Amino acid sequence: MTLAITPAAHDALETWLDQARALKGTSENTITAYRADVVDFIVFLTAHHAEPQGLAPLARVTTPDMRAFMAHLRGQGIGARSAARKLSAVKTFYRWLAEREGFEPTAVLLARAPKFQKKLPRPLDEASARAMIDTVALQSQTTWVGARDAAVVTLLYGCGLRISEALGLTGADWPMGDTLRIIGKGNKERIVPVLPVARRAVAAYLDLCPWAMAADAPLFRGARGGALNPRLVQKVTEQTRMQLGLPATATPHAMRHSFATHLLTAGGDLREIQELLGHASLSTTQAYTAVDQVHLMKVYEATHPKAG
């Protein structure tokens, strides 16, 4: 990276990332993705212009440069979705950099992202979601680990939590009342209801957990007492869905999708579901409307006398 980016440009990139982290509460996963995407862009410009890219060259990026960059991504076999994400990161960085350095970023900001069809969420049906919760505890020979995994998956489905939010809970969140205060993406706070079945699942885990609980300690522990690694939840979910014969889309995040879709199917209000999920934009939540419509069409085609 040092061969492609001057120290000044590198410092600007890290300053932008630090501000995104501190002021906007951007997650570390997003920070890592932002850094990689912007570095890829600068490395491309370095090869394209055959010189290291400092602040002055970055301010002179042209429309042909942007077209060449998008063509470069296509040539590497990068899909439209990933290319659009990279371009979005570059644009976000350039808005900040242009304001700080006082140049016009029009060439970058007007670059067109490739079109792609947004993937609809792939929820489980209600029976499969219940089977996932009932079966996940059986994947471990250690009783307390099985109870822990069941408690995590129950929270994902019962409260619509992201896996990072469930694993971010601490001893201070226990005992749980009727609601739970969650700090989600962008440091956005929301209150979610806690079903009795979720409280019972967490209580069963804590009764068996060999590690003493402290207010500042993670609620869900790994085998050695540290914070539970999300990869372990993904792995046990994968084992469970294979045992149940569920599709590869039956992931921990699919439990959150299922929570939203089942609420919508039962007549839940879209705005209220948006709040429960912690979506900043209603358009994100509206994807579940499309899922529900797909379900309704399948029911119609299978049952209506005039269908087909």
Side-chain angles (χ1 to χ4, degrees), residues 131-168:
M132 180 73 79
I133 292 172
D134 293 341
T135 309
V136 73
L138 306 178
Q139 305 308 309
S140 176
Q141 295 181 351
T142 306
T143 306
W144 78 268
V145 172
R148 177 201 68 193
D149 296 340
V152 173
V153 175
T154 302
L155 284 174
L156 300 184
Y157 178 60
C159 301
L161 301 188
R162 300 177 177 94
I163 188 171
S164 60
E165 294 168 347
L167 300 190

Side-chain angles (χ1 to χ4, degrees), residues 95-117:
R95 287 189 190 96
W96 175 86
L97 185 65
E99 183 176 351
R100 193 186 82 156
E101 298 297 320
F103 66 86
E104 180 54 58
T106 301
V108 174
L109 300 185
L110 290 184
R112 291 186 178 182
K115 293 182 179 180
F116 60 90
Q117 186 175 6

Side-chain angles (χ1 to χ4, degrees), residues 212-278:
M213 185 54 60
D216 59 348
L219 185 65
F220 293 108
R221 305 292 191 91
R224 298 182 179 180
L228 178 59
N229 189 319
R231 177 59 193 139
L232 294 179
V233 181
Q234 294 165 348
K235 184 176 180 180
V236 74
T237 305
E238 181 180 357
Q239 293 170 341
T240 304
R241 65 101 176 157
M242 292 177 68
Q243 180 176 337
L244 293 172
L246 297 175
T249 52
T251 63
H253 204 63
M255 301 301 286
R256 172 174 155 90
H257 288 322
S258 303
F259 161 85
T261 304
H262 298 166
L263 282 180
L264 185 62
T265 303
D269 179 80
L270 196 62
R271 284 284 183 186
E272 293 173 353
I273 294 173
Q274 176 191 1
E275 291 297 322
L276 291 174
L277 291 172

Side-chain angles (χ1 to χ4, degrees), residues 18-282:
D18 287 343
Q19 290 187 10
R21 185 186 291 111
L23 301 180
K24 298 183 179 180
T26 305
S27 72
E28 285 303 317
N29 286 341
T30 302
I31 292 292
T32 299
Y34 276 167
R35 180 184 288 109
D37 291 340
V38 174
V39 166
D40 284 350
F41 177 67
I42 298 177
V43 167
F44 163 76
L45 290 177
T46 298
H48 189 59
H49 292 291
E51 64 175 359
Q53 297 297 290
L55 295 179
L58 289 178
R60 296 194 297 266
V61 169
T62 64
T63 297
D65 289 334
M66 298 306 299
R67 289 173 180 162
F69 175 60
M70 300 309 293
H72 166 72
L73 295 180
R74 288 194 300 272
Q76 286 191 318
I78 293 175
R81 183 183 299 271
S82 296
R85 188 207 69 208
K86 286 179 176 292
L87 180 59
S88 177
V90 170
K91 287 183 176 181
T92 304
F93 172 62
Y94 258 78
R95 287 189 190 96
W96 175 86
L97 185 65
E99 183 176 351
R100 193 186 82 156
E101 298 297 320
F103 66 86
E104 180 54 58
T106 301
V108 174
L109 300 185
L110 290 184
R112 291 186 178 182
K115 293 182 179 180
F116 60 90
Q117 186 175 6
K118 291 185 178 180
K119 293 182 179 178
L120 293 177
R122 297 292 298 273
L124 302 174
D125 58 48
E126 292 185 30
S128 296
R130 292 194 190 98
M132 180 73 79
I133 292 172
D134 293 341
T135 309
V136 73
L138 306 178
Q139 305 308 309
S140 176
Q141 295 181 351
T142 306
T143 306
W144 78 268
V145 172
R148 177 201 68 193
D149 296 340
V152 173
V153 175
T154 302
L155 284 174
L156 300 184
Y157 178 60
C159 301
L161 301 188
R162 300 177 177 94
I163 188 171
S164 60
E165 294 168 347
L167 300 190
L169 297 175
T170 67
D173 295 305
W174 184 260
M176 294 176 183
D178 293 333
T179 60
L180 193 59
R181 177 175 170 269
I182 298 295
I183 306 298
K185 283 186 176 181
N187 217 26
K188 183 180 173 71
E189 179 181 326
R190 71 186 192 275
I191 303 297
V192 299
V194 180
L195 299 175
V197 65
R199 282 196 298 273
R200 289 195 297 269
V202 176
Y205 150 65
L206 291 176
D207 285 344
L208 296 170
C209 181
W211 307 101
M213 185 54 60
D216 59 348
L219 185 65
F220 293 108
R221 305 292 191 91
R224 298 182 179 180
L228 178 59
N229 189 319
R231 177 59 193 139
L232 294 179
V233 181
Q234 294 165 348
K235 184 176 180 180
V236 74
T237 305
E238 181 180 357
Q239 293 170 341
T240 304
R241 65 101 176 157
M242 292 177 68
Q243 180 176 337
L244 293 172
L246 297 175
T249 52
T251 63
H253 204 63
M255 301 301 286
R256 172 174 155 90
H257 288 322
S258 303
F259 161 85
T261 304
H262 298 166
L263 282 180
L264 185 62
T265 303
D269 179 80
L270 196 62
R271 284 284 183 186
E272 293 173 353
I273 294 173
Q274 176 191 1
E275 291 297 322
L276 291 174
L277 291 172
H279 286 160
S281 170
L282 183 63

